[in-house]
Amino acid sequence: MIKKSGSILITSLLFLCSCSSVYMPNVPNTPMLSAAGEFSGGAHISLRGNASLNGAYAVSDHFGVLFSGSTMNQERYAKDYKHKLIEFGGGYFNTFGPDDNRILEVYAGYGGGKTDRVYREFDDNDVLFNTNVEEVTYSKTFLQVNYSSRKSNDLKLFGKNFPINYGTALRISHVDMKTFMRNNIGQTREGNVFFEPIFFTRMRLSDVVQLQYTSSANFGLNSRKFMSAGNSIFTIGAVVNVGGKIK
């Protein structure tokens, strides 16, 4: 009886997991561009293994272009989760403040992604008796506002001072399924609008390289079963800025 109850509980948990979000957000591009010709690149990784790459280039003193991508391949005993996302964008940036060390950026962009999920159910003898495969492709548009400052506070670590600065980004993402298959059978497609406030902290190792910690929340503005707000961002990474106004 106990084993049977345990099997029911496991099956129920698998069902609930299958209703978690198929949308895995990437680390937003927060390049802190300041002048024409500046390049920013970043690489970030979460504890779950979601890896993000960001790149940005200042075409002029106030216009920049963006590229972002993320990927994840998590294989476990009862669940696999794989996703890929790529997006492009562009927008306006400006520096202000008494020392031109505050930066406002407004970007918009478009992209697309793919998520594959596999759920496995086992009986009391650890024999696989059911597999559920979900395959989703989707498109994404986003609008993002970044505010950051190169004015820094020093952190003393190992006898050395490391400048610390902070920033935030507010991103609104509209994500729409293009295809949704479960065990090769077409399903009703879903879409949602996500509000994603992001906060990041950077520790400068040199005039070019900084370490970055990123955290975020994720709110779905509509109630959805699969395209829901089930994932947030907690990553560590490195950012490189070449050119621009160095303070």
Side-chain angles (χ1 to χ4, degrees), residues 23-63:
Y23 170 59
M24 176 70 69
N26 60 321
V27 175
N29 210 326
T30 54
M32 297 175 65
L33 298 177
S34 59
E38 183 173 5
F39 170 79
S40 173
H44 311 267
I45 188 75
S46 72
L47 293 176
R48 296 181 61 185
N50 186 28
S52 295
L53 290 175
N54 293 329
Y57 181 75
V59 179
S60 69
D61 281 336
H62 295 291
F63 182 79

Side-chain angles (χ1 to χ4, degrees), residues 5 8 16 22 37 62 67 80 92 102 121 144 162 175 188 190 194 206 219 229 246:
S5 300
I8 294 174
L16 291 173
V22 297
H62 295 291
F67 161 80
D80 296 341
Y92 171 85
R102 293 172 175 83
E121 297 180 69
Q144 180 179 321
F162 294 93
V175 183
T188 302
E190 296 181 349
F194 299 97
S206 69
F219 304 97
I246 299 176

Side-chain angles (χ1 to χ4, degrees), residues 153-173:
N153 300 314
D154 286 342
L155 172 67
K156 192 167 184 178
L157 193 64
F158 305 118
K160 294 182 64 176
N161 289 328
F162 294 93
I164 301 290
N165 49 44
Y166 309 90
T168 185
L170 300 177
R171 181 172 67 180
I172 296 179
S173 300

